[in-house]
Amino acid sequence: METTVGYLLGESKDRALLKASSTLKRLDDISKFPELDKNCIYALDAMINYVKLKAIQ
């Protein structure tokens, strides 16, 4: 089908977002981080969401 589940579910407008092997490798690497290090990723995710919300206000 040349697409991803995220695209089909409307989570992304980019059909190839997670098809790149380098992106999948990075996600796999992050999944192996210790919990303390994963908290940095969660903090970055929270910041991205904050900036998005601020932009629509």
Side-chain angles (χ1 to χ4, degrees):
M1 286 186 73
E2 298 297 318
T3 192
T4 63
V5 173
Y7 177 77
L8 293 173
L9 294 175
E11 295 172 351
S12 172
K13 292 183 169 106
D14 184 356
R15 296 182 78 167
L17 182 65
L18 292 177
K19 291 180 77 175
S21 61
S22 60
T23 304
L24 291 174
K25 172 76 172 108
R26 287 179 130 178
L27 290 173
D28 185 50
D29 289 343
I30 290 168
S31 73
K32 296 173 185 172
F33 283 6
E35 283 304 311
L36 186 59
D37 293 332
K38 283 182 185 178
N39 287 336
C40 294
I41 302 298
Y42 300 142
L44 178 59
D45 185 52
M47 187 176 100
I48 291 169
N49 287 327
Y50 170 77
V51 170
K52 285 181 179 180
L53 285 172
K54 196 167 111 176
I56 61 173
Q57 291 180 353

